[in-house]
Amino acid sequence: MSEAEGLARRILTEAPTDLIVDRLAAELARTYGVTRTELYQVDYRLAELLPLDDGPAVTGPGHPAWRAFDHQEPVIADGVGWFPVGMRGERRGVLKVSPVPADPHARRELDTLATVLGHELSAVMATTDIYRSARRSRRLTLAAEMQWELLPGRSRIRPSFSLAGQLEPAYAVRGDSFDWSDDGHRLWLAVLNGYGEGVAAALLASLATYALRNARRAGLDLADQAALADQAIYAQYRGEQHVSALLIELELATGELTVVDAGSPRLLRLRADEVTGQELDKQFPLGMFEGTDYRPQRFRLEREDRLFVVSDGVIDATTEQGRYGEVALDRFLRRTAPMEPLEAVRSLIGDLRAFVAGDLVDDAVVVCLDWLGPQP
């Protein structure tokens, strides 16, 4: 690490919460001759890159900012540098700097500092609304605010897997959600398809998520996690409300997949350009009846397998011309093979929006998981 990079890192970590980008801009000007530094954050719809300060959003898919965001690599165009800002696979946006130093080493340092900025933004996000407020192009509904705050993130990367998810309609989602966690040996994933409207649906999804987390953190196996969440929801709603859920546990060293299908969203596998629906033993949704016993199923993934979990809101998206349906879904999923999971999710949601000519009406959740194989 160079002296200049070390100083910039220290300035980032010591800057007041509201002045992180300003202090970074001052240091880049002093050290690298950069006269303009701007942070652009991706919005909740994954459709716009919004500046932290006032200014136009970046929406065009071919724009250098989007190329840097999608490929997670610096892009230099017309004397302007765009550097991806993220943290452990969680993509937050891009950092725009101009003019860009000609020295390749200086450019690599700028790329590293953009990543450090991503870590600092994650560290302060719970203590300020500045960065969250700047990420939205419109007001979130109360239910959507609750749902987004519940998520662990929108993407995650480790040597053995890559994962991404998205909720729609992003600014008005109600009952659909997802959750994940990993410990280096196993990955746990839960995808929820809740019932109801507005805040009531968000509260139901929150109860299900926290019950599953509580069971997982207590070391219970997947079937017992489902049973505990089932009991918690039934105790609160006495069967009048319930949650469809797909619970997955992936052994990262072997690719063994353990699944509990509680009336769940659909599980699809993309392998060698072929899309296959995984046949699951459908069991009662969480909270429908008292004392349901859940049975796990086990499958083995192959290296480079890709899994999609999609809720009914994806397949059932409808216009006057008809329903999106399974044929269109399978065809589009095959096209995502060369994409990273977040790009694949964003592309599928974009195709759905184009199909309905706007935002989706019903809730939809899409999660994409790549198992990259056992890693040393």
Side-chain angles (χ1 to χ4, degrees), residues 223-244:
D224 287 340
Q225 291 174 31
L228 187 145
D230 174 68
Q231 293 167 13
I233 296 169
Y234 186 85
Q236 183 67 30
Y237 295 100
R238 311 307 296 180
E240 294 182 1
Q241 297 288 336
H242 45 85
V243 177
S244 295

Side-chain angles (χ1 to χ4, degrees), residues 40-42 48-50 57-77 80-85 91 93-96 346:
Y40 285 75
Q41 298 181 102
V42 68
E48 301 178 73
L49 289 166
L50 301 171
V58 177
T59 57
H63 194 282
W66 277 116
R67 298 207 308 270
F69 180 85
D70 285 334
H71 301 293
Q72 290 296 282
E73 295 178 352
V75 174
I76 312 299
V80 177
W82 302 89
F83 296 87
V85 175
R91 302 184 189 185
V94 292
L95 187 68
K96 175 185 178 182
R346 188 163 76 88

Side-chain angles (χ1 to χ4, degrees), residues 7-15 20 24 113 116-117 120:
L7 178 59
R9 281 174 177 263
R10 189 170 72 251
I11 287 172
L12 273 172
T13 58
E14 295 177 354
I20 289 175
L24 175 62
L113 290 173
V116 176
L117 174 60
E120 286 306 308

Side-chain angles (χ1 to χ4, degrees), residues 188-201:
W188 293 271
L189 169 64
V191 182
L192 310 179
N193 188 355
Y195 291 84
E197 297 292 333
V199 172

Side-chain angles (χ1 to χ4, degrees), residues 91-361:
R91 302 184 189 185
R92 298 204 171 275
V94 292
L95 187 68
K96 175 185 178 182
V97 300
S98 63
V100 185
D103 179 15
H105 180 69
R107 292 183 177 184
R108 287 193 294 271
E109 289 184 342
L110 289 174
D111 188 28
T112 299
L113 290 173
T115 300
V116 176
L117 174 60
H119 282 257
E120 286 306 308
L121 291 176
S122 297
V124 304
M125 202 63 72
T127 65
T128 180
D129 292 332
I130 293 173
Y131 305 103
R132 281 192 178 90
S133 297
R135 283 181 53 208
R136 52 193 74 183
S137 60
R138 68 185 80 161
R139 183 175 177 177
L140 290 171
T141 65
L142 176 56
E145 189 87 51
M146 295 168 65
Q147 289 294 71
W148 283 106
E149 288 296 301
L150 192 63
L151 298 185
R154 194 150 46 183
S155 53
R156 180 85 166 100
I157 295 175
R158 290 201 63 149
S160 53
F161 73 88
S162 185
L163 175 65
Q166 175 67 4
L167 307 179
E168 284 292 317
Y171 287 89
V173 68
R174 299 171 293 272
D176 285 9
S177 189
F178 56 81
D179 191 35
W180 61 62
S181 178
D182 76 274
D183 64 1
H185 304 285
R186 291 171 293 177
L187 167 69
W188 293 271
L189 169 64
V191 182
L192 310 179
N193 188 355
Y195 291 84
E197 297 292 333
V199 172
L203 287 170
L204 178 61
S206 297
L207 176 59
T209 299
Y210 284 117
L212 289 168
R213 287 176 180 174
N214 179 255
R216 183 183 73 225
R217 292 165 183 171
L220 302 185
D221 63 30
L222 207 63
D224 287 340
Q225 291 174 31
L228 187 145
D230 174 68
Q231 293 167 13
I233 296 169
Y234 186 85
Q236 183 67 30
Y237 295 100
R238 311 307 296 180
E240 294 182 1
Q241 297 288 336
H242 45 85
V243 177
S244 295
L246 182 67
L247 309 184
I248 292 174
E249 181 180 312
L250 174 61
E251 290 285 344
L252 299 178
T254 64
E256 182 174 86
L257 201 70
T258 304
V259 179
V260 171
D261 180 347
S264 74
R266 193 162 310 194
L267 179 63
L268 303 161
R269 186 193 68 210
L270 177 62
R271 175 184 292 171
D273 294 328
E274 290 295 325
V275 177
T276 304
Q278 185 66 60
E279 293 295 329
L280 298 175
D281 180 12
K282 292 192 178 298
Q283 302 170 73
F284 292 128
L286 304 177
M288 179 173 279
F289 300 106
E290 185 175 15
T292 303
D293 290 325
Y294 291 94
R295 301 175 302 280
Q297 293 174 266
R298 289 178 175 81
F299 310 95
R300 183 62 61 91
L301 295 181
E302 296 182 3
R303 185 188 294 266
E304 309 294 340
D305 272 356
R306 167 168 286 181
L307 298 178
F308 280 96
V309 185
V310 298
S311 65
D312 293 340
V314 174
I315 296 172
D316 293 338
T318 304
T319 68
E320 293 180 357
Q321 286 70 42
R323 179 170 165 265
Y324 190 76
E326 297 179 5
V327 174
L329 178 63
D330 288 0
R331 182 172 62 248
F332 195 87
L333 294 187
R334 286 195 295 272
R335 291 171 54 188
T336 70
M339 303 177 187
E340 293 294 322
L342 186 61
E343 187 183 1
V345 167
R346 188 163 76 88
S347 297
L348 174 56
I349 293 296
D351 194 57
L352 284 167
R353 292 194 194 115
F355 177 76
V356 301
D359 286 335
L360 300 183
V361 175

